Amino acid sequence: DQQVKQNSPSLSVQEGRISILNCDYTNSMFDYFLWYKKYPAEGPTFLISISSIKDKNEDGRFTVFLNKSAKHLSLHIVPSQPGDSAVYFCAARTSLRNAGNMLTFGGGTRLMVKP
Amino acid sequence: DSGVTQTPKHLITATGQRVTLRCSPRSGDLSVYWYQQSLDQGLQFLIHYYNGEERAKGNILERFSAQQFPDLHSELNLSSLELGDSALYFCASSPNPNTEAFFGQGTRLTVV
């Protein structure tokens, strides 16, 4: 049972355009969401996060949008750069006490930004 | 560089064997997490320790165990290894359970 899903395994975008990566979740107890970027042979790198009390969080070229009613979040990268080419993971967690900081990850989306 | 150090980077071992993966968290981080990334399962949470105590457990097999030592480094022990245990094992750390986790580069385990 995948509680966090990234339905697009890959996405190709032209340099300078917008990249939109999508993520859906099923567990209504999730209240904090994160995006990680992963290059080959490296560990995931934290990018941006959003709490369920917000619907948008922006950090430079990266913006995350949260639609709680649809249980959907998206990551927008504007403008996209070739260095953004990586695998992007959506992750979610609940602040329930016995959950620790357990992150549930989506399967990842491979973003390719073409020069 | 995330500041989280994992050793070894690569490990090849035979079925039935036992291995120990080591993780040094970022300076000052009390929380350590272990994740497994296999080809067909994505990133799966294994276990979380906070200041030496187990805080949460995920889908960790009984053949696997972990601990966090007083100096806050952590070890993940995998025993009676099977071919299906071949995967990337990531350690992550954070100052406390409510902050973002920073991942190490991972240990690639190959069981032959």
Side-chain angles (χ1 to χ4, degrees):
Chain A
D1 173 30
Q2 271 192 296
Q3 296 186 62
V4 178
K5 280 186 186 176
Q6 293 176 254
N7 290 318
S8 299
S10 64
L11 175 68
S12 184
V13 169
Q14 205 66 35
E15 180 180 5
R17 306 295 286 269
I18 184 171
S19 294
I20 300 176
L21 295 100
N22 294 303
C23 178
D24 297 296
Y25 62 96
T26 58
N27 189 340
S28 56
M29 300 306 294
F30 287 146
D31 55 14
Y32 197 75
F33 305 88
L34 308 90
W35 283 94
Y36 281 82
K37 178 168 79 170
K38 186 179 181 304
Y39 293 117
E42 293 185 13
T45 303
F46 169 72
L47 257 184
I48 192 168
S49 61
I50 188 166
S51 162
S52 60
I53 62 173
K54 294 186 173 182
D55 54 19
K56 177 183 172 181
N57 189 24
E58 197 171 345
D59 183 3
R61 296 185 299 114
F62 302 93
T63 304
V64 56
F65 295 92
L66 175 63
N67 182 334
K68 286 192 294 290
S69 60
K71 292 193 176 70
H72 177 83
L73 64 154
S74 61
L75 174 69
H76 292 209
I77 307 174
V78 184
S80 302
Q81 300 173 354
D84 296 330
S85 297
V87 178
Y88 288 77
F89 290 98
C90 165
R93 73 166 193 238
T94 170
S95 55
L96 286 177
R97 214 173 155 71
N98 61 354
N101 195 2
M102 179 181 95
L103 293 176
T104 301
F105 281 86
T109 297
R110 181 177 301 280
L111 174 65
M112 291 162 285
V113 180
K114 296 178 181 175
Chain B
D1 182 7
S2 67
V4 178
T5 304
Q6 289 186 248
T7 56
K9 283 195 170 51
H10 302 277
L11 195 49
I12 302 175
T13 190
T15 54
Q17 296 297 304
R18 173 190 167 96
V19 297
T20 298
L21 312 184
R22 184 187 166 98
C23 171
S24 294
R26 296 186 320 158
S27 176
D29 284 358
L30 298 178
S31 272
V32 169
Y33 318 85
W34 286 97
Y35 286 83
Q36 178 193 56
Q37 185 183 23
S38 51
L39 273 174
D40 58 346
Q41 291 286 331
L43 271 159
Q44 300 283 318
F45 170 76
L46 294 178
I47 199 162
H48 169 204
Y49 276 85
Y50 177 74
N51 203 18
E53 291 187 4
E54 182 185 300
R55 186 60 82 91
K57 236 176 182 177
N59 294 326
I60 186 167
L61 299 170
E62 284 191 16
R63 300 183 285 107
F64 295 2
S65 65
Q67 52 184 328
Q68 185 180 27
F69 295 87
D71 66 353
L72 301 177
H73 92 271
S74 177
E75 291 181 357
L76 179 66
N77 300 297
L78 316 176
S79 61
S80 302
L81 284 168
E82 301 174 0
L83 296 177
D85 297 327
S86 296
L88 264 170
Y89 290 85
F90 287 105
C91 170
S93 75
S94 67
N96 63 63
N98 297 317
T99 52
E100 288 70 38
F102 292 83
F103 283 75
Q105 290 194 321
T107 293
R108 181 173 292 282
L109 172 67
T110 304
V111 182
V112 297

